[in-house]
Amino acid sequence: MKKLTSSEFRQLFLDFFKEHGHTIVPSASLIPQDDPTLLWINSGVATMKKYFDGSVVPKNHRLTSSQKSIRTNDIENVGKTARHQTFFEMLGNFSVGDYFRNEAIHWAWEFLTSPDWLDLDASKLYCTIYPKDTDSLRTWIDAGMPEDHIVKLEDNFWDIGEGPCGPDTEIFYDRGQENNDVAEDDPENYPGGENARYLEIWNIVFSQYNHLADGRYVDQPHKNIDTGMGLERVLSILQDAPTNFETDLFLPIIHATEKMTPGKKYGENKADTTAFKIIADHVRAVSFAIADGALPSNSGRGYVMRRLIRRADLNGQRLGIQGSFLYKLVPVVGEIMQSHYPEVTDQKDFIAKVIKNEEERFQATLASGLTLLDNLIAKAKQASDKTIAGADAFKLFDTYGFPFELTFEAAQDAGLQVDKKGFDAEMTAQKERARKARGNLQSMGSQDVTLMNLKDKSEFEYGVYEEKQAKLLDIVVDDKLVKRADGERATLVFDKTPFYAERGGQVADHGDIFNQDGELVAKVVDVQHAPNDQNLHFVELVLPVQTGETYVLKIDRDRREGLRHSHSATHLLHSALRQVLGNHTHQAGSLVEPDYLRFDFTAMDPMTPRELKTVEKLVNQKIWEAIDVKTTVTDPETGKKMGALALFDSKYGDKVRVVQMGDFSTEFCGGTHCSNTSQIGIFKIMSESAIGAGMRRIEAVTSRKAYQFLASRSAMLDELQADVKATKPEEIKTKLDRLEADLHDSRKEVASLKAQINKAKAGSIFDKAEQAGKLTIIAEQVSAESMNDLRELADNWKNGEHSNVLALAADINGKANMVVALDKAALAQGLKAGDLIKAVASDFGGGGGGRPNMAQAGGKNPAGLSKALQGIKDLVARS
């Protein structure tokens, strides 16, 4: 068995499959793109869906990757078991309609056992198969697996409902009975059972069926291979580590954490060891998530991040670490992963800043959480069952980030129990709410065989507005290939086309199709990419069309010009944002329309007015500099060396287009652009807003639309100038300031007069004190214009010795309002203003509260105020 570092092992896996004809696919972002079924990328296959469902056909049908992944469905097990992690890497090899079972199994055996590769002891390898999968049984025996090492299990069938499915085979490594957590004769002591001896290291799925909505299973047109090998699991074998956490992926983080504690050491006791593991795992997860553009928040993936950071901080406290500390571990994570994932080191300062900010926020709420826990313990001590309710424990977990075990341990120390079933029920309900929020969406769609089988080459012609000799290659009507179409709608493929197909945020071209006689044949209403990358023209037919004929394709020139302006402006905006906000700013989406652009990006805070003005000015400055827009077709590596920004959600082929605007902007882009930035004319930001946790959106216009927007603003300014009687625009601000000052003075005068009126009112009201038991009370319904008038009367009452209790009510614009105030004598009797007002608020359809000496309430039913006042009198009399 080879002794390898994590970097060496990862590269060895990729190199093995590269030698077997696979293309190495770079790890995608942890944030799914165009996949609402996922919160995080949670496996290697999650990034390959578009290939497996046939919506895109890859240039090479053999693919391999090391994909960073996050799973948080069993976060509570992290640190307690040898293998559970929230962040992990999934090594995988994939076949999209190419090789199948024979190659997948033989290559797996070769990689694991060959002296040229991992050189594992073959006698320690086992596998499980689906009982009816006799082909896999034969193939494993042929590859070299002893038949008595092959276990048949009904669970070995991968099926997630409607969509692709098939049998799978799992490979296990025998770590020996000395590493087991069950007895040798335990019924679970077998490969695939619940034990620590047989470690699952690789899963190979034979995706050969399609599970239909009616429950039937039919053969897939193209059979696929999807595999997943847990990098950390195999590394624990190669490095002879008892668990994943003793490998070189975790130990440097654990040792750095040890130095922050007051002498705690990893492995000395179970509780501390668990805390070290949780911290090491969670800082990896949040570091990579932030590097990919996610930010902590109260919902979605932001909520997951907040929970991870808080859970790590609580475990830091368990180790005796005071205050924020997790952010200090970010450089350690970056250094460990540098060889394959440089993004953490590249953004380490920003990542640390985000984590530190979140830690400091948590420290501020931690005291409140501990107070709540103390209150729950006190409450449970008074209860007959001496138990903290599950709902209360869940609130601590959900709101304050307290893990269940922390509440459980605190309860145990106090001689109490915690309702674990109630807690689990709350957790299940929350997961169900999250599932429903995502909707009933398919994880992977079925293959569209008709479109997948379109093999004819089709070329998109950049810079061409009219193609006079376009040969019609394919016609699709109702998902069937036909030679002729004469209905209302059809989808057409030509050998060459000037029509741009929607991609990268830029919407499609529209236009017309003519025959060689100049007759209008069809109107193009949309253009999309076929699985094999041809441009699919969705048309409304005017005349019949026939394959093999040549047609004239003419795009809507005005629409294309608008798209070019908007798209080039989007590139300038992206670069301007990175300059003003920092290079950590990630593009999170865009929409390029002919007369409008939308740009989504990651940001912790809203942009300030000054930042918006700076960005807008910078974009316009580059427009006015009249920079030539240069497009270069090259390979991805050369493009990166040119400084081109690559988007996480984009997969690049052998050739890419690099769009450069001087030294200000360089990006990979397949869209249409101006030839010079001056053609954009003018750029105007219309709005900047939040669209989700840690996500902002800028909406802007260019060219003609920007002029129209500015012209409408100018007209508004002219109207305002006339209204304030300013002789020139520069005087408008002065005039408005003067009007505002006059208004302020008038309001002060009105307030003064109202105070005098209320004082005069008070004289007559305060003469109406009545005896109520041992105390005196003034309880009156009065005339008032606002709640503020009632509060002012109460303040006047405090300055004299008119009564012990004051209760004033008023019907203000059809709404009930009430104020209650108490003096020291009333408070000494045990009365509280808040309790009094809450007791009667239902009489006028309202609610309220306040301090012991003063409270207020509002309601919908003024007719009930008299009853409420009498109620307060009765309560005071009984005190």
Side-chain angles (χ1 to χ4, degrees), residues 10 13-15 17-18 22-28 41 43-48 62-69 89-94 226-229 231 340-341 651:
R10 183 190 298 113
F13 180 91
L14 297 175
D15 288 345
F17 283 101
K18 185 178 181 181
H22 292 63
T23 294
I24 297 175
V25 179
S27 178
I41 290 298
S43 64
V45 73
T47 67
M48 305 288 177
R62 298 180 178 187
L63 306 166
T64 186
S65 69
S66 178
Q67 175 61 46
K68 52 191 174 184
S69 307
E89 289 179 76
M90 190 62 78
L91 301 170
N93 59 291
F94 308 93
D226 153 30
T227 82
M229 171 187 273
L231 181 145
H340 201 70
Y341 304 103
K651 295 288 187 290

Side-chain angles (χ1 to χ4, degrees), residues 846-861:
R851 303 185 305 275
N853 66 335
M854 187 169 178
Q856 66 184 49
K860 300 176 181 178
N861 179 26

Side-chain angles (χ1 to χ4, degrees), residues 557-574:
R557 192 181 188 98
D558 286 345
R559 179 180 172 86
R560 167 66 71 82
E561 288 302 301
L563 289 167
R564 292 172 69 207
H565 298 156
S566 293
H567 204 151
S568 294
T570 301
H571 282 221
L572 293 176
L573 173 60
H574 189 188

Side-chain angles (χ1 to χ4, degrees), residues 718-769:
D718 290 344
E719 191 176 333
L720 183 60
Q721 181 181 337
D723 288 344
V724 299
K725 298 180 173 57
T727 56
K728 50 187 177 181
E730 291 79 5
E731 292 178 358
I732 293 175
K733 181 70 166 58
T734 304
K735 291 276 190 179
L736 288 174
D737 288 344
R738 193 175 301 155
L739 285 170
E740 190 174 359
D742 291 345
L743 181 61
H744 179 71
D745 291 342
S746 298
R747 283 175 175 164
K748 281 180 67 176
E749 188 175 346
V750 169
S752 176
L753 290 170
K754 285 181 74 174
Q756 293 176 38
I757 292 168
N758 286 335
K759 196 169 184 180
K761 276 184 189 175
S764 59
I765 295 169
F766 296 164
D767 291 337
K768 298 179 179 179

